Amino acid sequence: MRIRVKVPPSPFRLLKERYFGEETRNPRVARAALARLSARLPPDVVPIVSEAVNSLIDYQDPDYALAYLDRIERYIGPAGPMLPNLAELAQLLSDRMHFEDPIRIAQLKLVEAGGVTAQPNPASTDRIEKFRWDEVIPMLPTKAAGPALDLFQRLHLARLSRRSVRLRFSSRTRFKLQRLKWLAGARVTRPFSERFKRERVWVERWLHMVDRSLVKQPEATVAVVRTADLIKGHGDTYQNGLAQWNAIIDGLVKPTCDGTLPLRRLGDAIQEVREAAIGEQAQSLLLSAVEQQRSQALAGA
């Protein structure tokens, strides 16, 4: 009797299927999964999730929309924890998965210009955005972005990597419009980039902290969910928000859930810390507020 051995597909075939024929990359698969999930979602969540799925297909591809649905599905059904603000989490998750890189800005500018069939418009207004080099370099594949960022560190140029570069997005001329289309079309390279990897890790850590707060301090879950709105935009705005989020998670949420910080009202502490971070010194004020919350909790233990 002949034994048939299943030979794994070649990398070339996998690449071809990923971009030209893989079934999950057909929008109807994501929309069918949305229809199945919608029957189990609360009525107020269905429009948010539906809009997110359609938008994420345009932003990246159906696989990305399916990843969004998989994350939402964790919080419904008999096996999922009861989340008090699923609609808010669904919206914030969508916002975060639409992270702003130069490809995203090019996509938005191209839609404004008329889409893939757009024609040059000399009267259109250029869009100029500032991105930091440590945002632009991670658009490269991981194996290229890592060594490039390490080189900045070894040459003591870390400060240079935090400087901004001005990028112009224009549809005024045929050449500029073609360049805009090329950059928007580069979304197919996004899943292989270091930035995509980092965003995936960030989202999963956020959801992990939401899950832990549901178990350890359910009344703080809403506040933990809302920490995601600290991170938005790009450039310094994005980096400052990310630093604030990490300070709250590492200083308050994680140690409280670990049991090493006896903070009895985690939700109130998060709210107080965020209210303290205002003005030009928001970063330092937030760090000080976090340390104050930690000191008070440890002193009262």
Side-chain angles (χ1 to χ4, degrees), residues 95-142:
D95 294 342
R96 287 309 316 135
M97 291 181 70
H98 286 87
F99 60 88
E100 289 187 7
D101 57 3
I103 297 174
R104 174 60 170 168
I105 303 302
Q107 289 175 310
L108 295 174
K109 180 61 180 177
L110 186 59
V111 170
E112 178 187 316
V116 293
T117 60
Q119 296 297 319
N121 181 7
S124 65
T125 303
D126 292 353
R127 181 169 178 173
I128 301 174
E129 300 287 347
K130 288 184 178 181
F131 286 88
R132 290 175 25 157
W133 280 110
D134 54 8
E135 285 180 295
V136 175
I137 294 174
M139 292 177 63
L140 297 170
T142 301

Side-chain angles (χ1 to χ4, degrees), residues 5-24:
V5 179
K6 187 175 181 180
V7 179
S10 66
F12 175 76
R13 178 183 166 190
L14 290 174
L15 186 64
K16 180 181 177 182
E17 287 180 352
R18 178 164 183 80
Y19 290 106
F20 299 102
E22 187 178 357
E23 179 66 15
T24 56

Side-chain angles (χ1 to χ4, degrees), residues 133-292:
W133 280 110
D134 54 8
E135 285 180 295
V136 175
I137 294 174
M139 292 177 63
L140 297 170
T142 301
K143 291 185 178 179
L149 293 172
D150 289 343
L151 182 62
F152 274 93
Q153 295 290 340
R154 288 198 299 269
L155 297 177
H156 304 288
L157 298 175
R159 182 177 298 180
L160 178 62
S161 71
R162 294 191 290 270
R163 289 185 179 178
S164 297
V165 54
R166 287 161 57 93
L167 299 180
R168 183 183 296 270
F169 302 85
S170 175
S171 60
R172 286 173 174 266
T173 67
R174 187 173 300 277
F175 172 76
K176 291 180 179 179
L177 180 60
Q178 188 58 42
R179 185 174 60 184
L180 188 68
K181 290 180 179 180
W182 176 85
L183 183 55
R187 68 176 186 170
V188 298
T189 68
R190 190 187 270 137
F192 305 105
S193 68
E194 175 67 16
R195 175 67 185 277
F196 193 86
K197 174 185 173 182
R198 291 180 181 181
E199 290 290 335
R200 184 174 65 249
V201 170
W202 181 89
V203 170
E204 288 299 330
R205 190 178 186 219
W206 170 53
L207 295 178
H208 177 64
M209 290 301 163
V210 171
D211 295 344
R212 296 197 68 188
S213 68
L214 276 169
V215 175
K216 298 294 184 178
Q217 288 203 26
E219 67 280 1
T221 302
V222 172
V224 175
V225 168
R226 289 175 179 169
T227 59
D229 63 17
L230 285 167
I231 306 176
K232 60 187 67 175
H234 54 270
D236 290 338
T237 300
Y238 174 88
Q239 296 296 335
N240 291 337
L242 183 60
Q244 291 181 23
W245 184 84
N246 281 317
I248 291 173
I249 296 299
D250 294 335
L252 299 178
V253 181
K254 185 178 185 300
T256 300
C257 293
D258 288 343
T260 58
L261 183 67
L263 193 58
R264 296 179 179 85
R265 300 183 63 84
L266 176 61
D268 292 343
I270 293 174
Q271 185 64 30
E272 291 175 14
V273 163
R274 295 192 60 176
E275 290 174 354
I278 57 175
E280 296 181 357
Q281 302 298 321
Q283 188 83 0
S284 59
L285 289 173
L286 184 138
L287 291 173
S288 298
V290 168
E291 287 304 315
Q292 183 177 2

